[in-house]
Structure formats: C-alpha cells, structure tokens
Amino acid sequence: MITTPVKLWRRQKNVAGLIGVTGQILHWTIIRVPAKTFMNEAPYPVVIVELSNKQRMIGQLVDWEEADLKRGRKVIAVLRRSFTADSESIITYAIKFKSL
Amino acid sequence: MKINILGTATTEFGELWKTSPRELARVAIQGALKDAGKRPKDIDALFVGNMLAGIFGNQANLGSLFCEELGVNVPASHVEAACASGGLALHNAINSLLAGRYNTVLVLGVEKMTDSSQDEVTAGLMAAGSDEERQAGVTFPGIYALMAQAYMSEYNVTEEELAAVSVKNHFHGSLNDKAQFRRIITVEDVMRSGKIADPLKLLDCSPISDGASAVVISTETSKNSKPVFITASEVATDTLSLHDRQSFTTLSSVVRASQAAYKKVGIKASGVDVAEIHDCFSIAEAIATEDLGFSKRGEGAKDIANGRMTIGKGKIITNPSGGLKACGHPVGATGIKQIVEITQHLRGEAGARQVRGAKIGLTHNVGGSGAIAVIHILQN
C-alpha cells in the first residue's frame, strides 16, 4: 500500500471531525487472512457502521470481545494506530470503532 | 452487424510455476488463431485484459508486449477493470467492430498470480477496492463476507446452503481438463475448511491462479458448422465501496447490465440455457443468480443446494467450467475464459460437461465487489 507522507497528510483533514462520533454496527466479519500490511494484526474484526448522521463507514473494531460482534451494537469512533509498511515508514493512524 | 466468434482457446488454469505470462499468452493466442483458421496478419487490433502485471510484475504497456509476441504491429490496448478486465476488454473490442473501425480483432485475458505470496496477492487485489476499504484492512474475502452476513440474516440462509455453491462448482470442475481443481468436495469439506473471513471458509473462496484465454471475434462469418455470435455486450458500474450502497444483498451493476442485455436480445432470464457466473466466493454466485433473474430473491443459494443449476439436473446450468471456484481465477483471464466455455457449449464441443441443447449462453464478469459488471449473451 502506498503511504507517502503527503497522501497521509491529505487524508488527515477528514479524520478529526469523526473522532467521538457514535453509530451502530450494520454488519461485521473477522479478517483471519489479511493483506501483507496487516499481517501482525490478524485476526481482527471489520465492521460497517452507520453513524448517527446516517453516514456509513467501514473500519476495524478494537478492544473487542465476541459479544460485541452483533448487528445493532452501539460503537464510537476512535483514533488508533494502523499499519506501518516497514520500520522506516510513517506510522499511520486511522478511525476505528470501539463498542460502547 | 453480427459479432462472430471465430476462435477461442484457454490454457489450463492453476499454479503454473514453470510457465511465464508470455508463454501463457502465446498458448492462448495460438490456440484461438488456429481455432479461427486465422494467422497473426489477419488481426486488425489486439485488446488485452489484465489487472496485476503493473502491480506485481512492474510490467505495463501490455498491448505492445503481446503484439511483440504475436509478431504484429497493430493497434493494441490494455483494459483494466479489476476482475472484470477480461470482460471489459471484450466489450471494448466489440465496440471497435461495431464502430466499423476493424474487421477482426483478438482479445486476450491473462494473469500471473502465483509468483507472489498470498499476503501480497491479497494486498494487490485490494487495488480494486476503495481507499477507505484499504485503510480498514478489509480484504476481498472480507467484503464478500460482509455481504454473506447481510444475505444470511436477511433471507435466513445457512452456511451449509452457501457451501453447496462450491460443491456444485467442484463437481463441474471435475469434468473440465482445464480446471485448477478437478476433485469432488462435500458440504462437510467446505464446513471443515479454515475460516478466511467469517462466515467464509477456504472452500467458499476462489483460488489464486495463473492462466490465459483468448478469443478472435470478427464481422466476418465463421466457417464453423455451428457458428456462435455475441448478441449483447453490456456494462454497468457502481460505487467502489460496498458500504456506500443501499443494499448489500444485490449488485445493482449486475441488475442493470443484465436487464440491458436481455432487452437487447429480446429474452427473459428464463431463456438462458447456460451461464458462466463470477463466483469469486460462494455468496457471489448465490446473489448473482438472483440479480440475473434465475432465482427469486433469497432463493439463489437454496436453488443451487437443490441441484437446480447442476449439469444433468437443472434447467439453467451455472458454471459448467467449474467457475472461478474450481476452474480457477486468474483475474484478467476469467472474463475471456467464460466466453471460451460458453462457446464450447453452444458448439456442442464441451464433452463430459456439455449442457445438452444449449442455444443461449450468458457470461457474468464482475470487478471489485460489484463496482463494475460486464454481461455478454452468446447465441447460435
């Protein structure tokens, strides 16, 4: 995945406004065989969330347990460390979700 | 103007470590030219469907590359539409004939995937998704797993019923000497296979494959005693991201492209005898049979589990080649392999897996999670 500093910088503009927004899980899965950049994180759940403003997002569920993997579960958007391409690359941060 | 299929050929699909992409292309091209009774000098233009050569092989400029292989200097272009690259290359080739620009063109679909590791391929294929999906660390099995979750809860469908799609396609693949997997599997085998993205298991997923397929199409009449024509070539697009769509249990691109194709030739879905479906995952074929109108909403997986699309049992036979699941899925080649397969059935040359009396065939080639759908209808 291309993670140049300028691409990450452009993306940051959209992130701040989403932190703390709540929503509910529409659908969930657990990624057990990930892409290369997420090799160290699997297994991890990915959820499609409908936010309180009706916007839909896809993101990882963090600090989770089995009981959180339910349709309708209330979640909050949090900023969390995401993948790092290699030890020399920028550490990326992304919006993820946490059960409320 | 009639679009005639003059010749078709496909390589074996599989883990072909000894074979380079160039050799794959050569075998498919020479086979299609021979079947068409044509020589390279008879070709007016080349269209190449491929997704990953630039990402994995650092090789772009594929039109020129394969013209070099053909030994010609005709106009050539590379068409990319993720896993629908082959189908879209054919669509563009047909348009060039309809425009009156060329008389006879060659369409090649080719992909070399097994040189890369599984995690690299999983990452590379995500180029077909959106930036948001890549950020989330979701994979294509994961995206289709989300559709499966939606489908199973909306229509009360079980994992076993979804598994029946793979069981059918492996049975069909067992009859195809070009298929990557030629062994029969059971629902229990699918259920016991390792989880990839819940609820999808390894045997719900199409494999990583190498392969090439080619077709010669022309405004000229075929000399084959059972000529085959392409009577509809329709394309529709949708959002890149699954989560931006209203429904997760239908692909609107498939509905729109297939409805346009049926209208073009004046048939209903029930008029189709045989179809090659883009079953990248078991859930994909279940949803496709509904989007194409072969099954009622929520009944696609159940119809397949009941044998309604199996050779020798069903009325509309889906994926006689074994589909992406058993025949293999070299992504850029798939859309062309589907055309090769349907042509064989309409000519009555499909051997042990022949769909008897097939007169109308359909191919369903999808890119991304439904961001593009390419539908072709073939007739005698």
Side-chain angles (χ1 to χ4, degrees):
Chain A
M1 199 184 305
I2 299 162
T3 54
T4 61
V6 68
K7 183 172 178 180
L8 293 171
W9 171 75
R10 274 200 306 272
R11 199 183 276 148
Q12 295 304 314
K13 284 182 291 192
N14 305 321
V15 168
L18 289 165
I19 299 170
V21 175
T22 59
Q24 59 165 335
I25 293 176
L26 291 183
H27 297 291
W28 60 271
T29 184
I30 301 176
I31 304 296
R32 298 176 189 272
V33 181
K36 193 174 185 181
T37 34
F38 291 90
M39 281 302 271
N40 297 328
E41 295 179 41
Y44 52 87
V46 168
V47 292
I48 293 178
V49 170
E50 186 167 83
L51 301 176
S52 48
N53 65 4
K54 296 296 172 194
Q55 180 190 345
R56 285 180 180 179
M57 280 189 69
I58 189 165
Q60 288 180 26
L61 190 71
V62 295
D63 302 338
W64 62 284
E65 44 191 63
E66 289 288 328
D68 298 325
L69 299 174
K70 274 193 188 138
R71 301 183 67 191
R73 194 79 171 182
K74 294 266 187 291
V75 294
I76 184 166
V78 293
L79 187 68
R80 287 295 170 91
R81 179 175 159 155
S82 187
F83 65 88
T84 307
D86 57 58
S87 60
E88 300 288 314
S89 298
I90 286 179
I91 298 167
T92 65
Y93 285 78
I95 291 289
K96 300 189 181 183
F97 297 96
K98 199 171 87 168
S99 181
L100 271 175
Chain B
M1 183 189 294
K2 278 194 162 181
I3 304 298
N4 301 265
I5 295 181
L6 297 189
T8 68
T10 189
T11 65
E12 179 187 4
F13 282 6
E15 294 180 338
L16 310 176
W17 292 320
K18 290 179 182 168
T19 316
S20 70
R22 247 179 122 116
E23 286 173 76
L24 287 171
R26 186 188 311 144
V27 170
I29 287 171
Q30 288 180 350
L33 285 172
K34 189 178 173 201
D35 187 37
K38 293 284 181 191
R39 289 184 288 180
K41 69 171 181 53
D42 301 322
I43 300 300
D44 299 325
L46 171 69
F47 293 81
V48 182
N50 174 275
M51 176 184 177
L52 298 166
I55 296 171
F56 293 153
N58 199 29
Q59 179 67 65
N61 225 350
L62 297 184
S64 299
L65 172 71
F66 293 116
C67 273
E68 186 182 301
E69 187 56 44
L70 254 176
V72 296
N73 303 104
V74 297
S77 55
H78 168 209
V79 180
E80 193 282 316
C83 302
S85 297
L88 193 67
L90 178 64
H91 175 77
N92 288 1
I94 289 168
N95 284 347
S96 78
L97 299 187
L98 293 174
R101 184 71 199 250
Y102 308 125
N103 293 322
T104 302
V105 300
L106 180 71
V107 191
L108 168 71
V110 58
E111 207 73 67
K112 183 74 185 173
M113 300 174 77
T114 69
D115 284 359
S116 304
S117 63
Q118 176 190 274
D119 52 324
E120 287 169 335
V121 172
T122 304
L125 289 170
M126 279 312 295
S130 66
D131 197 34
E132 293 93 328
E133 289 169 335
R134 284 187 290 274
Q135 282 288 299
V138 72
T139 58
F140 266 98
I143 295 169
Y144 277 86
L146 290 163
M147 287 189 218
Q149 297 277 12
Y151 182 84
M152 288 164 62
S153 70
E154 193 167 331
Y155 297 118
N156 199 21
V157 171
T158 65
E159 289 184 39
E160 285 82 358
E161 284 167 330
L162 283 185
V165 176
S166 299
V167 172
K168 169 186 70 77
N169 289 341
H170 269 251
F171 166 60
H172 290 173
S174 74
L175 306 172
N176 182 359
D177 63 2
K178 296 288 174 32
Q180 183 162 354
F181 299 117
R182 301 170 206 170
R183 68 187 171 96
I184 289 171
I185 60 169
T186 63
V187 168
E188 292 70 36
D189 291 332
V190 181
M191 297 302 290
R192 272 200 304 266
S193 61
K195 281 186 179 172
I196 303 295
D198 309 40
L200 299 182
K201 295 158 286 291
L202 181 68
L203 291 178
D204 285 299
C205 306
S206 60
I208 292 167
S209 318
D210 305 325
S213 307
V215 51
V216 178
I217 58 169
S218 179
T219 54
E220 276 178 29
T221 310
S222 171
K223 294 187 179 73
N224 194 293
S225 60
K226 278 195 130 185
V228 177
F229 309 96
I230 301 175
T231 50
S233 174
E234 297 293 335
V235 178
T237 53
D238 198 353
T239 60
L240 275 182
S241 293
L242 175 69
H243 64 267
D244 285 332
R245 302 191 198 139
Q246 279 297 313
S247 170
F248 302 147
T249 57
T250 175
L251 303 186
S252 74
S253 55
V254 173
V255 173
R256 279 182 281 121
S258 61
Q259 288 300 323
Y262 294 145
K263 191 176 173 191
K264 174 90 180 165
V265 298
I267 61 165
K268 291 181 180 166
S270 57
V272 174
D273 300 310
V274 55
E276 280 284 298
I277 306 280
H278 197 95
D279 60 317
C280 43
F281 302 96
S282 52
I283 179 65
E285 181 163 337
I287 290 177
T289 55
E290 298 167 21
D291 286 340
L292 292 169
F294 300 163
S295 289
K296 290 180 186 158
R297 286 282 162 211
E299 295 182 9
K302 293 176 196 292
D303 283 349
I304 291 165
N306 290 330
R308 291 195 181 139
M309 298 181 190
T310 305
I311 292 171
K313 291 184 188 169
K315 187 172 171 296
I316 299 176
I317 307 305
T318 57
N319 278 328
S321 72
L324 283 57
K325 175 66 201 80
C327 189
H329 184 29
V331 294
T334 284
I336 303 300
K337 180 225 75 182
Q338 295 178 327
I339 299 293
V340 178
E341 178 71 16
I342 295 295
T343 302
Q344 287 186 335
H345 287 276
L346 298 188
R347 286 178 177 174
E349 296 173 353
R353 64 185 190 285
Q354 176 68 44
V355 174
R356 290 197 184 161
K359 291 192 177 334
I360 299 181
L362 178 146
T363 63
H364 160 271
N365 191 198
V366 172
S369 56
I372 185 162
V374 185
I375 304 286
H376 285 100
I377 293 180
L378 281 63
Q379 291 177 264
N380 277 128

